Tab-separated table of all heavy atoms in Angstrom:
chain	number	residue	atom	x	y	z
A	695	LYS	N	74.352	113.229	96.406
A	695	LYS	CA	75.023	112.586	97.530
A	695	LYS	C	74.149	111.486	98.118
A	695	LYS	O	74.652	110.450	98.533
A	695	LYS	CB	75.365	113.612	98.610
A	695	LYS	CG	76.485	114.543	98.229
A	695	LYS	CD	76.788	115.498	99.355
A	695	LYS	CE	77.865	116.478	98.942
A	695	LYS	NZ	78.158	117.437	99.994
A	698	LEU	N	74.464	108.350	95.976
A	698	LEU	CA	75.744	107.714	96.203
A	698	LEU	C	75.741	106.965	97.534
A	698	LEU	O	76.176	105.818	97.619
A	698	LEU	CB	76.881	108.744	96.180
A	698	LEU	CG	78.284	108.200	96.416
A	698	LEU	CD1	78.641	107.175	95.345
A	698	LEU	CD2	79.284	109.329	96.428
A	701	ALA	N	73.678	103.828	97.186
A	701	ALA	CA	74.391	102.797	96.416
A	701	ALA	C	75.445	102.109	97.275
A	701	ALA	O	75.589	100.877	97.242
A	701	ALA	CB	75.034	103.411	95.179
A	704	LEU	N	73.742	99.782	99.798
A	704	LEU	CA	73.246	98.554	99.183
A	704	LEU	C	74.371	97.602	98.790
A	704	LEU	O	74.222	96.382	98.867
A	704	LEU	CB	72.399	98.878	97.954
A	704	LEU	CG	71.041	99.540	98.233
A	704	LEU	CD1	70.389	99.968	96.928
A	704	LEU	CD2	70.130	98.588	98.996
A	711	ALA	N	79.903	89.873	102.231
A	711	ALA	CA	79.566	88.460	102.034
A	711	ALA	C	80.663	87.752	101.263
A	711	ALA	O	81.043	86.628	101.581
A	711	ALA	CB	78.235	88.324	101.310
A	714	VAL	N	83.767	87.213	103.491
A	714	VAL	CA	83.551	86.179	104.496
A	714	VAL	C	83.710	84.798	103.878
A	714	VAL	O	84.221	83.879	104.504
A	714	VAL	CB	82.148	86.334	105.138
A	714	VAL	CG1	81.801	85.132	105.990
A	714	VAL	CG2	82.076	87.608	105.951
A	718	ASN	N	91.758	82.775	103.213
A	718	ASN	CA	92.610	83.670	103.982
A	718	ASN	C	93.950	83.849	103.260
A	718	ASN	O	94.714	82.887	103.142
A	718	ASN	CB	92.819	83.069	105.376
A	718	ASN	CG	93.608	83.968	106.282
A	718	ASN	OD1	94.373	84.810	105.837
A	718	ASN	ND2	93.427	83.775	107.570
A	749	ALA	N	103.203	68.786	100.493
A	749	ALA	CA	102.498	69.765	101.326
A	749	ALA	C	101.576	69.080	102.328
A	749	ALA	O	100.955	68.065	102.028
A	749	ALA	CB	101.689	70.721	100.453
A	769	ALA	N	101.530	64.961	98.665
A	769	ALA	CA	100.827	65.845	99.598
A	769	ALA	C	99.865	65.060	100.479
A	769	ALA	O	99.386	63.998	100.101
A	769	ALA	CB	100.068	66.930	98.828
A	783	SER	N	94.751	69.153	85.013
A	783	SER	CA	96.176	68.953	84.723
A	783	SER	C	97.057	68.955	85.971
A	783	SER	O	98.263	69.180	85.879
A	783	SER	CB	96.683	69.992	83.716
A	783	SER	OG	95.983	69.875	82.495
A	786	LEU	N	98.860	64.413	90.948
A	786	LEU	CA	98.417	63.871	92.229
A	786	LEU	C	98.998	62.466	92.411
A	786	LEU	O	98.285	61.484	92.510
A	786	LEU	CB	96.886	63.835	92.264
A	786	LEU	CG	96.204	65.189	92.113
A	786	LEU	CD1	94.751	65.034	91.713
A	786	LEU	CD2	96.310	65.966	93.410
A	787	THR	N	100.303	62.373	92.458
A	787	THR	CA	100.987	61.109	92.639
A	787	THR	C	101.300	60.899	94.115
A	787	THR	O	101.833	61.808	94.771
A	787	THR	CB	102.301	61.078	91.824
A	787	THR	OG1	101.984	61.313	90.454
A	787	THR	CG2	103.020	59.757	91.962
A	791	MET	N	94.417	61.382	100.080
A	791	MET	CA	93.142	62.109	100.078
A	791	MET	C	92.103	61.335	100.883
A	791	MET	O	90.910	61.398	100.603
A	791	MET	CB	92.673	62.331	98.635
A	791	MET	CG	93.564	63.264	97.853
A	791	MET	SD	93.009	63.545	96.163
A	791	MET	CE	93.728	62.124	95.342
A	793	LYS	N	89.375	60.319	103.207
A	793	LYS	CA	88.214	61.015	103.765
A	793	LYS	C	88.093	62.476	103.297
A	793	LYS	O	87.474	63.299	103.944
A	793	LYS	CB	88.212	60.942	105.285
A	793	LYS	CG	88.085	59.521	105.800
A	793	LYS	CD	87.969	59.478	107.297
A	793	LYS	CE	87.812	58.044	107.760
A	793	LYS	NZ	87.705	57.950	109.203
A	796	LEU	N	85.758	65.395	97.620
A	796	LEU	CA	86.099	65.705	96.235
A	796	LEU	C	84.851	65.915	95.379
A	796	LEU	O	84.937	65.916	94.153
A	796	LEU	CB	86.940	64.569	95.643
A	796	LEU	CG	88.333	64.401	96.250
A	796	LEU	CD1	88.906	63.029	95.915
A	796	LEU	CD2	89.250	65.491	95.766
A	805	HIS	N	96.713	63.827	86.603
A	805	HIS	CA	97.526	62.626	86.715
A	805	HIS	C	97.389	62.128	88.149
A	805	HIS	O	98.007	62.680	89.059
A	805	HIS	CB	98.989	62.932	86.387
A	805	HIS	CG	99.149	63.678	85.102
A	805	HIS	ND1	99.185	63.060	83.876
A	805	HIS	CD2	99.238	65.007	84.855
A	805	HIS	CE1	99.310	63.965	82.924
A	805	HIS	NE2	99.347	65.154	83.492
A	810	ASN	N	95.742	57.602	97.717
A	810	ASN	CA	94.809	57.013	98.675
A	810	ASN	C	93.548	57.869	98.735
A	810	ASN	O	93.598	59.025	99.150
A	810	ASN	CB	95.463	56.949	100.059
A	810	ASN	CG	94.562	56.350	101.115
A	810	ASN	OD1	93.441	55.918	100.844
A	810	ASN	ND2	95.049	56.332	102.343
A	815	SER	N	84.697	61.293	99.518
A	815	SER	CA	83.428	61.518	98.836
A	815	SER	C	83.744	62.039	97.444
A	815	SER	O	84.480	63.026	97.307
A	815	SER	CB	82.608	62.532	99.632
A	815	SER	OG	81.379	62.774	98.997
A	818	ASN	N	79.972	63.372	91.390
A	818	ASN	CA	80.033	64.311	90.271
A	818	ASN	C	81.443	64.768	89.918
A	818	ASN	O	81.667	65.931	89.591
A	818	ASN	CB	79.138	65.537	90.548
A	818	ASN	CG	77.698	65.147	90.730
A	818	ASN	OD1	77.153	64.384	89.935
A	818	ASN	ND2	77.087	65.632	91.802
A	822	THR	N	87.521	63.694	82.681
A	822	THR	CA	87.773	63.649	81.251
A	822	THR	C	89.273	63.662	80.968
A	822	THR	O	90.003	64.538	81.436
A	822	THR	CB	87.118	64.870	80.561
A	822	THR	OG1	85.750	64.918	80.909
A	822	THR	CG2	87.269	64.786	79.048
A	823	ASP	N	89.730	62.654	80.207
A	823	ASP	CA	91.130	62.531	79.797
A	823	ASP	C	92.111	62.458	80.971
A	823	ASP	O	93.305	62.725	80.806
A	823	ASP	CB	91.537	63.675	78.861
A	823	ASP	CG	90.772	63.652	77.551
A	823	ASP	OD1	90.423	62.549	77.085
A	823	ASP	OD2	90.513	64.741	76.991
A	827	TYR	N	95.802	55.759	87.743
A	827	TYR	CA	96.440	54.460	87.883
A	827	TYR	C	96.586	54.097	89.353
A	827	TYR	O	96.982	54.938	90.174
A	827	TYR	CB	97.837	54.464	87.237
A	827	TYR	CG	97.809	54.748	85.756
A	827	TYR	CD1	98.200	55.984	85.271
A	827	TYR	CD2	97.398	53.770	84.860
A	827	TYR	CE1	98.180	56.245	83.912
A	827	TYR	CE2	97.372	54.031	83.491
A	827	TYR	CZ	97.772	55.268	83.028
A	827	TYR	OH	97.748	55.528	81.677
A	833	VAL	N	82.624	54.405	91.967
A	833	VAL	CA	81.757	54.390	90.794
A	833	VAL	C	80.456	53.738	91.202
A	833	VAL	O	80.441	52.587	91.607
A	833	VAL	CB	82.408	53.620	89.617
A	833	VAL	CG1	81.448	53.528	88.449
A	833	VAL	CG2	83.698	54.281	89.196
A	837	ASP	N	83.558	50.699	95.363
A	837	ASP	CA	84.959	50.972	95.081
A	837	ASP	C	85.387	50.171	93.869
A	837	ASP	O	85.020	49.021	93.697
A	837	ASP	CB	85.844	50.590	96.272
A	837	ASP	CG	85.723	51.600	97.397
A	837	ASP	OD1	85.342	52.739	97.117
A	837	ASP	OD2	85.976	51.226	98.560
A	839	GLN	N	88.955	49.312	91.624
A	839	GLN	CA	90.390	49.474	91.443
A	839	GLN	C	90.635	49.686	89.958
A	839	GLN	O	90.307	48.826	89.139
A	839	GLN	CB	91.150	48.235	91.936
A	839	GLN	CG	92.647	48.380	91.882
A	839	GLN	CD	93.190	49.401	92.854
A	839	GLN	OE1	92.654	49.594	93.926
A	839	GLN	NE2	94.231	50.072	92.476
Side-chain angles (χ1 to χ4, degrees):
K695 288 182 183 179
L698 180 60
L704 290 173
V714 169
N718 184 336
S783 299
L786 300 162
T787 303
M791 293 181 276
K793 297 185 179 180
L796 293 163
H805 310 276
N810 180 3
S815 180
N818 300 313
T822 306
D823 296 328
Y827 299 105
V833 176
D837 285 337
Q839 185 67 32

